Amino acid sequence: MDPLKLKFKEKAEALFHETRALLKEHSAKKVDEVTIKQMYGGMRGVKSMVWETSQLDAQEGIRFRGYSIPELKKLLPKAPGGKEPLPEGLFYLMLVGEVPTQKEVNWLSGEWQRRSNVPRHTFAMLEKMPLDTHPMTQFSMAILSMQTESVFSQRYSEGMSKSEYWDATYEDTMNLIARLPRVAAYIYRRTYKNGNHIEPDISLDWGANFAHMLGIEHPDFKSLMRLYLTIHADHEGGNASAHSTHLVGSTLSDAYFSLSGGMNALAGPLHGLANQEVIKWVFKMLDVLGTRKPSKAQISEYVQKTLDAGKVIPGYGHAVLRQPDPRFTAQRKFAEEYIKDSDIINVVWKAFDVVPPILQGLGKVKNPWPNVDAHSGALLVHYGLTDFSFYTVLFGVSRAMGVLAQLCWSRALGFPLERPKSVTSKWVNEFLAQQPVEG
Ligand code: CMX
């Protein structure tokens, strides 16, 4: 058994027994009540799921196993000479709850290289897709096409015991994450670079090798990818991509089915596709205004026009957060450190000053602040990755780490099929009619 799997096994056995004891003693305790508004309003804030890998605080933002992004930037191992955390380290932390050593992270980089072989039929399947198929469609289908390799499905069909589910899921998780950069880079190169593919460089870490296979050779782009893949990895369990992965997985669908489901949720414009929408919106604004250096007053006017047209301002707002997203701030800090004077980044920063008061003025937007998607496009454009429709795939490669680490936990803790109760409008009206009249 590999050292990470062994560590996970020990932790999982301990938490499994702890959880059984907790359920025996406290099953009937209530942690929440659901309002009519929450039922009709996308279940905001309803505490109904356990998610080990990260937790989101509305004011403070995301913490991965208790660590904030600035803390992780200091604590997680780096590539030689690099300043950004290695995403492998975050996966390790999410999976076993311990900050890994450099040696442990180096082992994981090598292990993912070892497991990174993509089945040939995945590339053949992609080649059959029209070139203008959205990269997220290609990505989700490519993940699904690799389901033929699922260790979980194979062992399930052979009669695996429930106690081994976590083991097979760990194998699928490691294989799948290892293969994603190659798959994503293949989609990128076939869609935008005439199928001129770049072979992996096995001397590189997971994020840097991805940057290399995309074909963007600026050394700072490798650093950006390491940071990007770290900060997008998880956002507790209720967000749409995480929750979709979790829901599909709860049927004992394997990691491939589950992640593909999660990616389909990430592809929506209110979720991961917002990173593509932000940069499209910025460039449209620059075109309409006829300048690369718009004033704050010009941006303000364009924001108002967007709202008047009945559209949202992409990259702003959040279902849970009520402050600027620390993932936005981390990207801003990266830009301040690595990039001197970029028009497009200046526009993003000016928008940060202009958009929140306008959204606040609408009186209905609960969070007027930028989210993770407000900044990423400008950084990617700076390094020459200007194919906007690919951006959500980058998000997806990172998100796989959080949702699949959690899938291992869901299997280890024996979480059952997810099946919340729904009611009809008629039921709601009858329920209300039975309530005592207030006042
Ligand atoms: N621009 C304009 N209006 C906005 C807005 C924005 N950025 N954010 C919220 N609103 C509006 C909502 O559309 C809603 O209007 P209606 O009542 O007319 O339907 C109202 O304000 C209240 O919404 P909310 O409670 O503040 O926000 P929700 O929890 O319903 O939605 C989110 C959250 C992210 C979908 C929303 O803020 C949004 O659409 N933002 C733009 C898209 C975006 O950036 N998504 C990416 C989020 C991060 C990620 O998942 O990647």
Side-chain angles (χ1 to χ4, degrees), residues 29 35 40 125 169 196 200 245 261 279-280 299 350 373 379 439:
K29 294 218 169 88
T35 63
Y40 279 94
M125 184 279 300
T169 301
N196 184 6
T245 308
I279 204 73
K280 272 167 65 182
I299 297 176
K350 276 186 190 165
D373 301 314
L379 289 169

Side-chain angles (χ1 to χ4, degrees), residues 44 269-272 274 307 311-319 359 362 364-367 371-373 395:
R44 295 287 184 283
L270 296 187
H271 192 17
L307 293 171
K311 298 186 226 167
V312 294
I313 307 301
Y316 282 78
H318 199 272
L359 291 183
L362 296 179
K364 64 175 183 177
V365 181
K366 295 192 193 64
N367 176 41
N371 58 55
V372 65
D373 301 314
F395 194 155

Side-chain angles (χ1 to χ4, degrees), residues 165-357:
Y165 287 175
W166 72 267
D167 184 310
T169 301
Y170 174 90
E171 292 300 325
D172 279 351
T173 292
M174 293 285 278
N175 291 337
L176 186 40
I177 295 174
R179 290 167 179 161
L180 290 179
R182 179 88 166 105
V183 167
Y186 191 93
I187 292 167
Y188 179 69
R189 303 292 302 181
R190 89 172 278 264
T191 307
Y192 309 106
K193 304 289 171 193
N194 301 319
N196 184 6
H197 297 289
I198 299 171
E199 286 301 306
D201 178 346
I202 56 159
S203 70
L204 293 172
D205 56 87
W206 189 70
N209 187 33
F210 186 26
H212 159 75
M213 289 187 288
L214 289 171
I216 294 170
E217 284 300 340
H218 194 300
D220 291 349
F221 186 72
K222 291 191 174 63
S223 299
L224 176 64
M225 277 298 98
R226 292 177 187 125
L227 177 71
Y228 185 106
L229 295 169
T230 299
I231 63 177
H232 286 77
D234 207 31
H235 221 220
E236 75 172 27
N239 72 78
S241 52
H243 192 192
S244 307
T245 308
H246 182 72
L247 172 64
V248 176
S250 83
T251 69
L252 290 189
S253 276
D254 59 51
Y256 297 84
F257 282 123
S258 305
L259 184 65
S260 176
M263 291 303 105
N264 298 341
L266 193 70
L270 296 187
H271 192 17
L273 201 79
N275 60 8
Q276 152 189 324
E277 296 303 297
V278 167
I279 204 73
K280 272 167 65 182
W281 179 82
V282 168
F283 275 102
K284 179 93 192 294
M285 170 169 72
L286 300 184
D287 277 355
V288 169
L289 299 176
T291 172
R292 310 289 284 183
K293 298 177 192 280
S295 66
K296 286 187 186 174
Q298 284 176 304
I299 297 176
S300 209
E301 208 177 301
Y302 192 79
V303 168
Q304 199 55 59
K305 262 194 199 151
T306 306
L307 293 171
D308 292 347
K311 298 186 226 167
V312 294
I313 307 301
Y316 282 78
H318 199 272
V320 181
L321 278 169
R322 296 295 176 255
Q323 288 290 333
D325 192 331
R327 299 171 300 174
F328 173 90
T329 312
Q331 294 177 79
R332 184 176 175 141
K333 287 213 161 87
F334 182 95
E336 284 164 357
E337 195 176 339
Y338 289 80
I339 299 168
K340 300 284 164 265
D341 207 26
S342 142
D343 283 349
I344 192 80
I345 287 169
N346 287 337
V347 172
V348 167
W349 293 355
K350 276 186 190 165
F352 176 68
D353 293 334
V354 163
V355 176

